[in-house]
Amino acid sequence: DTEVTQTPKHLVMGMTNKKSLKCEQHMGHRAMYWYKQKAKKPPELMFVYSYEKLSINESVPSRFSPECPNSSLLNLHLHALQPEDSALYLCASSQESTLSGNTIYFGEGSWLTVV
Amino acid sequence: GNSVTQMEGPVTLSEEAFLTINCTYTATGYPSLFWYVQYPGEGLQLLLKATKADDKGSNKGFEATYRKETTSFHLEKGSVQVSDSAVYFCALSDRGGNNRLAFGKGNQVVVIP
Protein backbone atom coordinates (compact mmCIF):
# COMPACT_ATOMS: atom_id res chain seq x y z
CA ASP A 1 0.00 0.00 0.00
CA THR A 2 1.77 3.10 -1.22
CA GLU A 3 -0.21 5.85 0.44
CA VAL A 4 0.65 9.30 1.64
CA THR A 5 -2.28 11.11 3.22
CA GLN A 6 -2.54 14.86 3.50
CA THR A 7 -4.92 17.10 5.41
CA PRO A 8 -6.67 19.37 4.84
CA LYS A 9 -7.42 18.95 1.16
CA HIS A 10 -8.39 22.61 0.84
CA LEU A 11 -7.37 25.55 3.00
CA VAL A 12 -8.21 29.23 2.71
CA MET A 13 -6.30 31.53 5.02
CA GLY A 14 -5.77 35.22 5.53
CA MET A 15 -2.36 36.79 5.44
CA THR A 16 -2.27 37.16 9.21
CA ASN A 17 -3.42 33.62 10.00
CA LYS A 18 -1.39 30.73 11.30
CA LYS A 19 -2.29 27.32 9.92
CA SER A 20 -0.67 23.94 9.39
CA LEU A 21 -0.65 21.31 6.71
CA LYS A 22 -0.29 17.70 7.83
CA CYS A 23 1.07 14.61 6.15
CA GLU A 24 1.23 11.00 7.23
CA GLN A 25 2.70 7.83 5.76
CA HIS A 26 2.75 4.29 7.14
CA MET A 27 5.08 2.69 4.63
CA GLY A 28 8.11 2.77 6.91
CA HIS A 29 9.74 5.39 4.72
CA ARG A 30 12.54 7.38 6.33
CA ALA A 31 12.57 10.32 3.94
CA MET A 32 9.74 12.83 3.65
CA TYR A 33 9.38 15.84 1.41
CA TRP A 34 7.38 19.00 0.88
CA TYR A 35 6.86 20.25 -2.66
CA LYS A 36 5.03 23.31 -3.95
CA GLN A 37 3.22 23.22 -7.28
CA LYS A 38 1.80 26.17 -9.16
CA ALA A 39 -0.77 25.72 -11.89
CA LYS A 40 0.53 24.09 -15.06
CA LYS A 41 4.04 23.74 -13.61
CA PRO A 42 6.02 20.79 -12.25
CA PRO A 43 6.42 20.47 -8.48
CA GLU A 44 9.25 22.39 -6.84
CA LEU A 45 11.12 20.91 -3.90
CA MET A 46 10.88 22.87 -0.65
CA PHE A 47 12.18 20.64 2.15
CA VAL A 48 13.58 17.16 2.69
CA TYR A 49 13.63 15.30 5.98
CA SER A 50 15.82 12.25 6.34
CA TYR A 51 15.50 10.14 9.49
CA GLU A 52 13.47 12.96 11.03
CA LYS A 53 16.18 15.54 10.50
CA LEU A 54 15.95 18.40 8.04
CA SER A 55 18.47 17.68 5.31
CA ILE A 56 17.44 20.13 2.59
CA ASN A 57 15.86 23.57 2.72
CA GLU A 58 15.63 24.99 -0.79
CA SER A 59 15.95 28.58 0.43
CA VAL A 60 12.29 28.63 1.41
CA PRO A 61 11.06 31.81 3.16
CA SER A 62 10.78 31.51 6.92
CA ARG A 63 7.00 31.99 6.77
CA PHE A 64 7.03 28.28 5.91
CA SER A 65 8.22 26.17 8.83
CA PRO A 66 8.49 22.39 8.50
CA GLU A 67 8.35 19.95 11.36
CA CYS A 68 8.84 16.19 11.53
CA PRO A 69 7.47 14.95 14.89
CA ASN A 70 8.25 11.32 14.09
CA SER A 71 9.11 9.11 11.16
CA SER A 72 5.48 8.89 9.99
CA LEU A 73 4.42 12.50 10.28
CA LEU A 74 5.38 15.70 8.54
CA ASN A 75 3.87 19.12 9.13
CA LEU A 76 4.19 22.43 7.35
CA HIS A 77 3.42 25.43 9.55
CA LEU A 78 2.23 28.53 7.72
CA HIS A 79 2.36 32.07 9.04
CA ALA A 80 2.05 35.49 7.43
CA LEU A 81 1.73 34.08 3.94
CA GLN A 82 1.34 36.14 0.80
CA PRO A 83 -1.23 35.68 -1.97
CA GLU A 84 1.54 34.43 -4.26
CA ASP A 85 1.98 31.47 -1.89
CA SER A 86 -1.34 30.10 -3.08
CA ALA A 87 -0.56 26.75 -4.65
CA LEU A 88 -0.90 23.00 -4.31
CA TYR A 89 1.37 21.70 -1.54
CA LEU A 90 2.43 18.12 -2.02
CA CYS A 91 3.87 15.84 0.61
CA ALA A 92 5.92 12.86 -0.49
CA SER A 93 7.95 10.05 0.98
CA SER A 94 10.55 7.49 -0.04
CA GLN A 95 12.42 4.69 1.62
CA GLU A 96 15.62 6.65 2.18
CA SER A 97 16.70 9.91 0.68
CA THR A 98 20.21 8.94 -0.29
CA LEU A 99 19.74 5.72 -2.18
CA SER A 100 19.51 5.84 -5.92
CA GLY A 101 16.45 4.43 -7.60
CA ASN A 102 14.16 5.09 -4.65
CA THR A 103 10.69 5.92 -5.77
CA ILE A 104 9.13 9.05 -4.32
CA TYR A 105 5.44 8.62 -3.57
CA PHE A 106 3.21 11.68 -3.47
CA GLY A 107 0.06 12.49 -1.57
CA GLU A 108 -3.05 14.07 -3.04
CA GLY A 109 -1.94 17.50 -1.99
CA SER A 110 -3.38 20.41 -0.03
CA TRP A 111 -4.81 23.26 -2.08
CA LEU A 112 -3.89 26.48 -0.33
CA THR A 113 -5.48 29.85 -1.08
CA VAL A 114 -4.12 32.93 0.66
CA VAL A 115 -6.52 35.88 0.69
CA GLY B 1 23.34 19.41 -13.66
CA ASN B 2 20.49 17.03 -14.24
CA SER B 3 17.62 18.04 -16.46
CA VAL B 4 14.61 16.57 -18.22
CA THR B 5 13.12 17.84 -21.47
CA GLN B 6 9.59 17.07 -22.57
CA MET B 7 8.06 17.98 -25.90
CA GLU B 8 6.39 21.37 -25.97
CA GLY B 9 2.67 21.96 -25.83
CA PRO B 10 -0.49 20.02 -24.98
CA VAL B 11 -1.37 16.81 -26.76
CA THR B 12 -4.89 16.39 -28.05
CA LEU B 13 -5.99 13.14 -29.59
CA SER B 14 -9.04 11.00 -30.20
CA GLU B 15 -10.07 8.00 -28.15
CA GLU B 16 -8.27 4.77 -29.20
CA ALA B 17 -5.44 6.75 -30.83
CA PHE B 18 -1.77 5.97 -30.18
CA LEU B 19 -0.06 8.24 -27.67
CA THR B 20 3.62 9.13 -27.55
CA ILE B 21 5.13 11.72 -25.22
CA ASN B 22 8.82 12.35 -25.72
CA CYS B 23 11.22 12.68 -22.82
CA THR B 24 14.97 13.15 -23.00
CA TYR B 25 17.33 13.71 -20.15
CA THR B 26 20.76 14.99 -19.22
CA ALA B 27 22.44 13.43 -16.22
CA THR B 28 25.77 12.31 -14.93
CA GLY B 29 26.04 8.66 -14.19
CA TYR B 30 23.04 6.34 -14.31
CA PRO B 31 19.83 7.94 -13.12
CA SER B 32 16.51 6.28 -12.42
CA LEU B 33 13.68 7.46 -14.64
CA PHE B 34 10.01 7.94 -13.83
CA TRP B 35 6.72 8.95 -15.35
CA TYR B 36 4.20 10.55 -13.02
CA VAL B 37 0.60 11.33 -13.92
CA GLN B 38 -1.56 14.07 -12.43
CA TYR B 39 -5.30 13.84 -12.99
CA PRO B 40 -7.34 17.05 -12.70
CA GLY B 41 -7.49 18.31 -9.12
CA GLU B 42 -5.29 15.53 -7.77
CA GLY B 43 -1.73 14.90 -6.64
CA LEU B 44 0.97 13.06 -8.55
CA GLN B 45 0.75 9.33 -9.03
CA LEU B 46 3.65 7.17 -10.06
CA LEU B 47 2.78 5.70 -13.44
CA LEU B 48 5.93 3.67 -14.15
CA LYS B 49 9.67 3.65 -13.61
CA ALA B 50 12.93 2.17 -14.86
CA THR B 51 16.15 2.03 -12.91
CA LYS B 52 18.73 0.88 -15.48
CA ALA B 53 19.42 0.96 -19.18
CA ASP B 54 17.10 -1.15 -21.38
CA ASP B 55 14.59 -1.60 -18.54
CA LYS B 56 11.00 -1.23 -19.64
CA GLY B 57 8.49 0.18 -17.21
CA SER B 58 4.81 -0.56 -17.79
CA ASN B 59 1.49 0.09 -16.09
CA LYS B 60 -2.15 0.55 -17.15
CA GLY B 61 -1.23 -0.01 -20.79
CA PHE B 62 1.52 2.62 -20.73
CA GLU B 63 5.13 1.70 -21.49
CA ALA B 64 8.49 3.45 -21.50
CA THR B 65 11.97 2.05 -22.17
CA TYR B 66 15.15 3.46 -20.65
CA ARG B 67 17.39 4.19 -23.66
CA LYS B 68 20.86 5.17 -22.52
CA GLU B 69 22.22 5.56 -26.04
CA THR B 70 19.62 8.21 -26.89
CA THR B 71 19.13 9.43 -23.27
CA SER B 72 15.41 9.01 -23.69
CA PHE B 73 12.42 7.61 -21.84
CA HIS B 74 9.46 8.13 -24.16
CA LEU B 75 5.99 7.26 -22.89
CA GLU B 76 3.65 5.29 -25.15
CA LYS B 77 0.18 3.86 -25.03
CA GLY B 78 -1.41 1.97 -27.87
CA SER B 79 -5.04 2.99 -27.39
CA VAL B 80 -5.93 5.90 -25.15
CA GLN B 81 -9.19 6.44 -23.31
CA VAL B 82 -10.92 9.61 -22.19
CA SER B 83 -9.90 8.68 -18.64
CA ASP B 84 -6.22 9.06 -19.64
CA SER B 85 -6.70 12.82 -19.89
CA ALA B 86 -4.18 14.22 -17.43
CA VAL B 87 -0.81 15.92 -17.14
CA TYR B 88 2.19 13.62 -17.54
CA PHE B 89 5.57 14.45 -15.98
CA CYS B 90 8.83 12.76 -16.82
CA ALA B 91 11.38 12.82 -13.99
CA LEU B 92 14.78 11.52 -13.07
CA SER B 93 16.51 10.76 -9.83
CA ASP B 94 20.27 10.78 -9.82
CA ARG B 95 22.58 8.59 -7.82
CA GLY B 96 23.91 11.39 -5.72
CA GLY B 97 22.61 12.21 -2.28
CA ASN B 98 19.15 13.28 -1.29
CA ASN B 99 17.20 11.51 -4.02
CA ARG B 100 16.33 14.75 -5.78
CA LEU B 101 13.79 14.53 -8.56
CA ALA B 102 14.33 16.62 -11.66
CA PHE B 103 11.01 17.09 -13.47
CA GLY B 104 10.21 17.91 -17.04
CA LYS B 105 7.68 20.68 -17.67
CA GLY B 106 4.84 18.22 -18.12
CA ASN B 107 2.46 17.57 -20.98
CA GLN B 108 -1.27 18.08 -20.82
CA VAL B 109 -2.97 15.20 -22.62
CA VAL B 110 -6.58 15.66 -23.69
CA VAL B 111 -8.42 12.65 -25.12
CA ILE B 112 -11.58 13.46 -27.06
CA PRO B 113 -14.40 10.91 -27.30
Side-chain angles (χ1 to χ4, degrees):
Chain A
D1 182 17
T2 54
E3 188 169 298
V4 177
T5 56
Q6 292 187 240
T7 56
K9 190 165 176 64
H10 297 275
L11 177 63
V12 179
M13 61 184 291
M15 289 188 283
T16 58
N17 292 159
K18 286 185 181 180
K19 298 285 185 183
S20 297
L21 306 180
K22 297 185 182 300
C23 175
E24 189 169 10
Q25 57 88 13
H26 293 291
M27 296 178 279
H29 290 174
R30 303 314 302 266
M32 296 187 76
Y33 311 76
W34 281 114
Y35 282 81
K36 174 182 178 180
Q37 187 182 24
K38 300 287 274 186
K40 301 188 185 298
K41 299 288 188 184
E44 297 175 352
L45 183 64
M46 298 175 72
F47 303 103
V48 180
Y49 273 83
S50 178
Y51 291 89
E52 301 159 47
K53 294 190 187 313
L54 182 64
S55 61
I56 293 179
N57 175 342
E58 292 283 36
S59 302
V60 178
S62 59
R63 57 186 185 267
F64 296 91
S65 175
E67 177 195 20
C68 188
N70 60 54
S71 60
S72 300
L73 294 174
L74 186 66
N75 299 322
L76 186 63
H77 303 298
L78 314 170
H79 174 54
L81 296 192
Q82 303 298 310
E84 59 265 29
D85 296 322
S86 298
L88 177 65
Y89 288 84
L90 292 162
C91 176
S93 70
S94 65
Q95 285 184 329
E96 293 184 32
S97 69
T98 57
L99 292 181
S100 63
N102 272 335
T103 301
I104 294 179
Y105 296 95
F106 288 84
E108 290 292 310
S110 293
W111 292 90
L112 174 67
T113 303
V114 182
V115 297
Chain B
N2 297 331
S3 66
V4 175
T5 301
Q6 290 182 236
M7 50 197 281
E8 292 288 333
V11 177
T12 302
L13 61 169
S14 299
E15 202 165 22
E16 299 184 1
F18 185 88
L19 170 69
T20 298
I21 305 176
N22 289 341
C23 172
T24 57
Y25 67 89
T26 302
T28 54
Y30 305 96
S32 294
L33 301 172
F34 306 87
W35 277 99
Y36 286 90
V37 59
Q38 187 170 32
Y39 297 102
E42 297 187 10
L44 268 69
Q45 297 179 24
L46 177 68
L47 182 58
L48 52 84
K49 72 175 186 179
T51 57
K52 61 183 187 296
D54 300 324
D55 268 1
K56 177 187 284 188
S58 61
N59 186 26
K60 299 182 181 180
F62 290 89
E63 292 183 341
T65 300
Y66 189 141
R67 301 285 188 201
K68 186 170 181 293
E69 62 276 13
T70 55
T71 61
S72 65
F73 192 54
H74 305 321
L75 183 68
E76 297 182 337
K77 185 174 184 180
S79 176
V80 293
Q81 306 300 313
V82 172
S83 57
D84 293 323
S85 298
V87 179
Y88 293 81
F89 291 99
C90 184
L92 74 81
S93 172
D94 68 23
R95 290 178 179 256
N98 299 311
N99 205 21
R100 288 173 181 274
L101 275 179
F103 282 96
K105 291 185 176 180
N107 285 105
Q108 173 83 54
V109 172
V110 177
V111 180
I112 300 170

